[in-house]
Structures are given as C-alpha cells and as structure tokens.
Amino acid sequence: MRTTTAILLLLILLMVLLRACVDGYRPVIIVHGIFDGPKQFQTLALFINETHPGTEVTVVDLYKHMSSLKPLWKQVQNFHRAIEPIMEKARDGVHLLCFSQGGLICRALLSTTPNHNIHNFIALSSPLAGQYGDTDYLQQVFPGCVKDMIFLVCYNRVGQRVSICQYWNDPHHRPSYLKNNKFLPVLNGDTPHDKIKSWRENFLHIKKLVLIGGPDDGVITPWQSSHFGFYNSKERVVEMRNQEFYRNDTFGLKTLSARGDLSLCLCSGVKHMHWHSNFTVFTNCIEKWLT
C-alpha cells in the first residue's frame, strides 16, 4: 500500500513538474512577410513545438499574399487588434517572431503600443533600415521598373499606398525619402514627430532584440539592412553603429546595445524564402530566445 501511494505521489509530482515546464514557454506570435501567409510557416511552428513542447504558436492570419501590399500603418493597426488578446492572456509575456516585411510591422507594433508585454522580438531577414535593390519581389510589384526610378513611383501620395514603397529607401534621393515616406523614416525617428519619446520608451520595454540575416539572402538589399546597416549615397554599406538613428538613439537601438540586449545572428548560404524552414537557422539563431 505504501509503495502504491509513493508511486502515485511520484506521478503527481512528475505531472506538476511537466506542467510547470510546459507553462514556462511563452506564447510565440509569428508575423509573415510580403506575399506570404500562415501556410508558409507551418515548418517553423513545427520546429518550435518539437523543441519547446506545449508552446502556443500563433501565425497571424491577416494580409496574406497580394493584400500584404496594403499600407503598413493600416496593417500595423489590424495586426495589433489580432495579437492584443494573446498578449492579455499571457501573464509572463509573449515573443514576436517576424519575417521580412513582417519585421517592420512588428517594430511599429512595439513602438506604438504602451505597456506591452512583448518579451523578445526576433526579426528574421527583415529590411529594418529599408530596401533598395532590383529583386524578383520588386518586379512583381513594379514590372519593368529599375531601382533607380522607383522613387518616382514611391515618393508620392499614391505610391505610399503600397507597402514596399513605405520602406523603399533610395540613398540618392534622401530629402525626398524623408519628406514623402510616411512609414520608415517616422519609425526610425529620422523624421521628427511628437511621439518620438513615447515610441522609444515603448520599444525599450522588450528584453531582447534579435536580428537575423545573411549575405546570400537575395532579396533584402543590402542584406545588412536586416542588421540595421544601409547604403550611403555612394551605395557603400554603412553598418548599424554608424547610422544616424543609432548614434542619436532615436528609437532606442543604442540603448538596447548598451544594455547587452541586442543580438546579431549571421548565417551564410540561406536564401530569403528558406529562413523560416531552415533548422540550422532555427537552432543557431532562434530557439534559445523562445523560452
């Protein structure tokens, strides 16, 4: 009888410990990129559940495929509505894992949401400092156009209704970019506005910022944009720490780095559409941040 009781107590203890372990994993919210949808992230969700069993993984089912071209501030507003209930239920916070254009949406969510409980923000191959390059994606949106001429399309009221135009950062037409782009220079604090201070405070609520990218991406141009680097007027890449928004700490990037809460992960040999299905990328750059 005593042996049976001891075994039952042991089983109960193991169940409690297992539940505590499972409950220890914060929910993960995944935001897809341009022309993507939840289907493309099934493998990534599988990776998470195989390594961290019981994790609640949500791939937000909004602005799929061609609708991903809609204006980014509108997307930010509706993505916020979708993830707010998940955040409210998560006592210990959530993780944001955002791919490509989704990384910009998540950055804007962080900055514009007071008192959020987003723990770690992982930006997976995202054009965080902008995009400037002739790629297949660009040709899908503007067939026959070359990068040198896209500013004529993007830097006006009509062009700013297309998502890619809102992070198109032409280094040869910076005054026009700062004046007419209504998303990225505002988000980076390159264009002054009355919410810079509060947005910076909101952004700094996160515990870790993880930036993932690599030289063989083939879409993010320059690829260093995924690490907040970008071209100067001579199309030479200026790395993150020499960017004006970093030196001036306009949205908190320098502060995060000084806190030791900025992690850069570089992976070679990974094409843009393979980041979220590459297990090596997951184990080397993502897994440890999802506890």
Side-chain angles (χ1 to χ4, degrees), residues 122-140:
I122 303 168
L124 182 60
S125 187
S126 296
L128 299 171
Q131 173 76 6
Y132 182 70
D134 290 318
T135 67
D136 291 341
Y137 277 55
L138 183 66
Q139 291 304 312
Q140 288 184 54

Side-chain angles (χ1 to χ4, degrees), residues 38-222:
K39 184 178 179 180
Q40 283 76 27
F41 293 82
Q42 292 176 352
T43 300
L44 181 56
L46 182 64
F47 289 163
I48 296 170
N49 278 303
E50 284 182 343
T51 55
H52 295 164
T55 301
E56 177 188 342
V57 181
T58 303
V59 185
V60 185
D61 192 4
L62 284 176
Y63 295 102
K64 297 178 290 187
H65 313 305
M66 292 304 293
S67 65
S68 64
L69 292 173
K70 291 186 177 180
L72 288 176
W73 285 120
K74 182 66 174 177
Q75 293 196 48
V76 169
Q77 182 181 25
N78 287 307
F79 271 102
H80 179 267
R81 288 174 180 164
I83 72 172
E84 189 173 28
I86 304 172
M87 292 192 295
E88 288 178 350
K89 289 192 303 180
R91 182 182 59 186
D92 295 325
V94 302
H95 298 307
L96 273 187
L97 174 48
C98 311
F99 174 64
S100 195
Q101 178 179 279
L104 291 170
I105 292 169
C106 290
R107 273 196 60 208
L109 279 169
L110 289 170
S111 296
T112 58
T113 306
N115 302 313
H116 64 75
N117 64 347
I118 295 165
H119 197 80
N120 293 338
F121 168 37
I122 303 168
L124 182 60
S125 187
S126 296
L128 299 171
Q131 173 76 6
Y132 182 70
D134 290 318
T135 67
D136 291 341
Y137 277 55
L138 183 66
Q139 291 304 312
Q140 288 184 54
V141 183
F142 303 117
C145 291
V146 294
K147 67 178 184 180
D148 296 348
M149 304 302 294
I150 293 298
F151 79 98
L152 294 172
V153 179
C154 283
Y155 295 160
N156 58 64
R157 184 175 298 178
V158 175
Q160 287 296 296
R161 296 175 183 172
V162 180
S163 66
I164 193 172
C165 283
Q166 295 192 302
Y167 52 94
W168 187 258
N169 186 356
D170 190 324
H172 307 293
H173 297 89
R174 187 162 178 80
S176 186
Y177 163 76
L178 294 174
K179 179 180 178 181
N180 298 301
N181 190 312
K182 304 305 180 185
F183 184 81
L184 189 58
V186 179
L187 189 59
N188 282 346
D190 291 326
T191 300
H193 57 90
D194 58 5
K195 296 181 180 178
I196 284 182
K197 183 178 179 180
S198 62
W199 285 12
R200 184 178 181 275
E201 291 173 353
N202 296 340
F203 186 80
L204 287 171
H205 278 316
I206 61 173
K207 303 303 179 185
K208 292 285 183 181
L209 172 62
V210 182
L211 308 178
I212 305 169
D216 302 304
D217 180 272
V219 171
I220 305 303
T221 313

